[in-house]
Amino acid sequence: MSGRWLVFDYGEVLCTRTKALPSLAERMGAPLAAFEPAYWAARDAYDRGASDLEFWSTVGDALDVRVDEATSARLTELDIEGWSHVAPESLELVESLAEAGAALAVLSNAPVSFARFAEEQPWTRHFSELLFSGDVGMAKPDAKIFELLLARLGAEPGDCLFFDDRQANVDGARAAGLHAHVWQGIPSADELL
């Protein structure tokens, strides 16, 4: 194993890709083909600390749909539910690593509302640190969030092995000195571990 700390992204590493986008588009009265680009275009600001209402209003503006507090709350519930499904094979890996005494952390680009939900989930008990971008107003692949992670872990960059599904985030981690790999599933991770 390359590092003393094993750090995992959440979205599409620990969890499966959301299947909520069609439901979200329907709730906003927009075709999925129009909704999806608007959703992803606004996501970075959301992951960096924008409120739920700010996010959904930005998506709504792109679709010419007015979003009020009640609509925002319902869309947020649907969105969180969509991202809430931890992949069974990832959970098995995390549980086996935890049982073996590995030091585990999560570094995820995620909004504040999702962070509060995640903290209450049983899988988080395996992790010594949960760092969600929305809570700190910065996001991967920025160097500052990797510096903050290292400070919270009390670790040197070379002490960490980081898995993320996005090459840009892996590149950002490597630039900050961490060992980092694009997540390609359990068999690939097992080889590295």
Side-chain angles (χ1 to χ4, degrees):
M1 184 167 74
S2 312
R4 189 172 63 82
W5 280 92
L6 299 175
V7 183
F8 293 87
D9 175 38
Y10 178 75
E12 299 184 61
V13 173
L14 295 179
C15 81
T16 56
R17 183 173 178 83
T18 182
K19 292 184 172 75
L21 298 185
S23 299
L24 290 164
E26 183 180 338
R27 181 78 183 187
M28 293 193 83
L32 182 60
F35 171 80
E36 211 166 336
Y39 174 91
W40 291 115
R43 196 75 192 192
D44 185 61
Y46 195 27
D47 287 344
R48 291 174 186 269
S51 71
D52 298 332
L53 183 59
E54 287 169 329
F55 172 66
W56 294 113
S57 294
T58 301
V59 175
D61 289 347
L63 301 169
D64 202 23
V65 173
R66 186 179 167 281
V67 176
D68 60 17
E69 284 278 1
T71 303
S72 170
R74 181 63 188 128
L75 290 166
T76 301
E77 286 175 16
L78 287 169
D79 192 47
I80 288 172
E81 200 287 325
W83 287 108
S84 69
H85 303 281
V86 175
E89 62 276 11
S90 293
L91 183 57
E92 284 177 24
L93 173 64
V94 165
E95 288 173 342
S96 67
L97 290 168
E99 284 171 16
L104 304 174
V106 168
L107 173 59
S108 179
N109 286 357
V112 172
S113 53
F114 183 82
R116 298 296 76 79
F117 166 82
E119 289 168 348
E120 302 298 318
Q121 303 312 301
W123 61 265
T124 61
R125 73 185 183 279
H126 300 298
F127 293 90
S128 302
E129 181 66 37
L130 301 170
L131 178 51
F132 294 104
S133 62
D135 287 332
V136 295
M138 60 183 84
K140 299 173 293 182
D142 299 356
K144 286 185 185 288
I145 200 162
F146 292 106
E147 292 165 10
L148 178 60
L149 172 73
L150 294 170
R152 287 195 178 178
L153 299 181
E156 294 299 317
D159 292 338
C160 298
L161 175 59
F162 174 63
F163 291 101
D164 197 290
D165 63 306
R166 295 175 187 248
Q167 185 66 54
N169 295 339
V170 168
D171 293 344
R174 288 176 178 166
L178 286 74
H179 301 283
H181 296 276
V182 173
W183 180 257
Q184 296 175 325
I186 300 300
S188 175
D190 279 341
E191 281 181 30
L192 289 163
L193 298 170

